[in-house]
DNA sequence: CATTTGCTTGACCGTTTGGTCAAAATGAAC
DNA sequence: GTTCATTTTGACCAAACGGTCAAGCAAATG
């Protein structure tokens, strides 16, 4: 029964059906808990309660709270980055950025927990994703700044600093997820209305795209 | 009964010289600790260590960790709001907004801890400042949206939604404080150079102001 | 000087929480 | 059924942490 197919001790894990389901349930619950309470504020018990499992059972699937956190974060980063990678150097600048901003705003509205989780991580010094930021993300951003600079060179965009344009898009799109409570408190009835997030997207697009169009 | 000379709401403490100095030292240390570790992550011991006092001594001046947190937050909110209140309805729109954005970016660069403290509070559901957001801040924002709408009506600004303009400014200016680690990681050498924050201010102003100028 | 009041702290307590462990339940294979 | 591996948990431990308290120290006050 110990063929290459069944149970490999170290290299890779076949992952039984039960394991796969439980792991996923745990990571889903953990995302919520970590996002609302932060790493320190979250407790294994809280995550366990949310999945209906016992605490030791969580630690049967993941060896520590840290590890759960890392995996949730890792999983989140991929989604977070995908639309950024998708910016096409060959496409029309305004159209590409419109697509990117729209995608990010949609993510903020649909999965604010992911955004909050990430915000928390960065806010506390990026202890886990720090090296990722300095390598993968940095390279990716460098690449995109070249694209933007190329667009500017062609006269398709106003002469703006690519870094700050990117930061500004990140800032704005994340804000709607991370600060949603403040937004709801301040905008009051406005924010409750259906179509509010579409309206937000429209306003953000208007300002940024007008701001970077060549004059 | 109550002489109205002291600013005290509780009508008891004249506050000795020593008390005033120690209270301030504690609040200063607490700002740093809360900003970098969050409420849950911060410990009274850490704050005490930073002031050179003992833990019981902190609790002699403030009755609980919560109370320290509240006072730090309260103190921070005032600074945070001041430049927003200062937006002058009679002034030139572009000039007023330039002043506001510049002031906020400067705060982000000089006192990022204050910004981080606030971000953390909101991110975790605004348990302490929630009611403040729904009353004072909401009223203030409503007032400023009217000013912006008036400017738009006069044709001095492009027709943009005032709420989203405000959110966008908040988002962007806070981003440079709250996500400074990500910015430094991604921008690398750029961010280290002197004048980086001035450059950031220039870029942000360019995009937003161009974005809202009437065409 | 003595006395009162304000300031400071070492030692301690109760609770929370991350993590362990041995044993029980469940399931799979024969 | 029996046997063996996987999954689950109650009970427990050690460390961390918020907070208390009684006693010590300092500084005014007389």
């Amino acid at each position: 029964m110990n063929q290459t197919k069944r149970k490999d001790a170290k290299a890779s894990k076949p992952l039984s059906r039960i394991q796969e389901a439980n792991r996923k349930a745990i990571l889903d619950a953990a995302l919520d808990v970590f996002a609302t309470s932060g790493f320190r504020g979250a407790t294994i018990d809280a995550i366990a309660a949310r999945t209906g499992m016992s605490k030791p059972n969580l630690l049967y699937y993941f060896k520590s709270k840290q590890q759960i956190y890392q995996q949730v974060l890792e999983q989140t980063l991929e989604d977070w980055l995908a639309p950024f990678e998708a910016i096409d150097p060959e496409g029309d600048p305004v159209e590409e950025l419109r697509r990117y901003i729209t995608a990010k705003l949609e993510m903020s509205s649909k999965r604010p927990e992911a955004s909050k989780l990430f915000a928390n991580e960065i806010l506390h010094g990026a202890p886990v994703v720090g090296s990722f930021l300095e390598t993968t993300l940095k390279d990716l951003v460098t690449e995109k700044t070249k694209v933007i600079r190329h667009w500017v060179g062609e006269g398709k965009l106003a002469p703006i600093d690519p870094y700050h344009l990117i930061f500004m898009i990140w800032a704005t799109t994340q804000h709607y997820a991370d600060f949603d409570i403040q937004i709801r408190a301040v905008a009051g009835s406005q924010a409750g209305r259906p179509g509010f997030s579409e309206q937000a997207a429209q306003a953000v697009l208007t300002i940024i795209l007008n701001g970077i169009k060549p004059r």
Side-chain angles (χ1 to χ4, degrees), chain A residues 150-187:
Chain A
H150 182 66
W151 284 339
V152 170
E154 287 182 320
K156 291 178 174 173
L157 286 183
I160 32 88
D161 182 299
Y163 281 104
H164 297 294
L165 172 58
I166 291 170
F167 294 154
M168 204 167 156
I169 294 174
W170 285 353
T172 309
T173 53
Q174 286 233 167
H175 190 79
Y176 282 91
D178 303 343
F179 282 58
D180 58 343
I181 286 190
Q182 176 176 260
I183 288 174
R184 265 198 289 276
V186 161

Side-chain angles (χ1 to χ4, degrees), chain A residues 26-211:
Chain A
I26 292 170
L27 291 179
D28 283 353
L31 172 59
D32 281 357
V33 174
F34 281 129
T36 56
S37 306
F39 180 76
R40 289 289 300 256
T43 68
I44 303 185
D45 276 312
I47 302 174
R50 201 170 255 259
T51 63
M53 300 180 195
S54 66
K55 178 168 67 171
N57 207 17
L58 283 217
L59 293 166
Y60 170 75
Y61 287 105
F62 297 91
K63 94 177 208 298
S64 69
K65 180 183 171 182
Q66 263 279 339
Q67 203 191 58
I68 301 178
Y69 179 71
Q70 285 177 357
Q71 297 229 0
V72 173
L73 206 46
E74 210 168 286
Q75 178 189 271
T76 298
L77 279 181
E78 293 175 23
D79 306 354
W80 194 79
L81 229 53
F84 186 62
E85 284 177 305
I87 293 176
D88 180 10
E90 309 298 329
D92 173 63
V94 171
E95 199 42 55
E96 288 301 314
L97 292 175
R98 159 174 289 129
R99 241 212 350 248
Y100 177 52
I101 293 170
T102 305
K104 288 229 73 182
L105 279 173
E106 199 144 319
M107 287 172 59
S108 287
S109 146
K110 275 188 190 150
R111 298 187 56 222
E113 320 83 32
S115 181
K116 286 182 181 181
L117 180 80
F118 183 68
N120 220 337
E121 162 74 6
I122 304 294
L123 207 51
H124 290 17
V128 171
V129 300
S131 64
F132 167 85
L133 299 183
E134 289 166 356
T135 56
T136 313
L137 184 59
K138 177 179 177 172
D139 293 345
L140 196 55
V141 168
T142 302
E143 180 194 323
K144 296 304 181 187
T145 58
K146 283 178 188 156
V147 172
I148 294 174
R149 227 171 258 129
H150 182 66
W151 284 339
V152 170
E154 287 182 320
K156 291 178 174 173
L157 286 183
I160 32 88
D161 182 299
Y163 281 104
H164 297 294
L165 172 58
I166 291 170
F167 294 154
M168 204 167 156
I169 294 174
W170 285 353
T172 309
T173 53
Q174 286 233 167
H175 190 79
Y176 282 91
D178 303 343
F179 282 58
D180 58 343
I181 286 190
Q182 176 176 260
I183 288 174
R184 265 198 289 276
V186 161
S189 52
Q190 314 264 344
R193 280 206 280 259
F196 178 78
S197 64
E198 285 77 14
Q199 186 192 335
Q202 192 51 57
V204 169
L205 286 168
T206 300
I207 297 177
I208 292 191
L209 296 182
N210 270 338

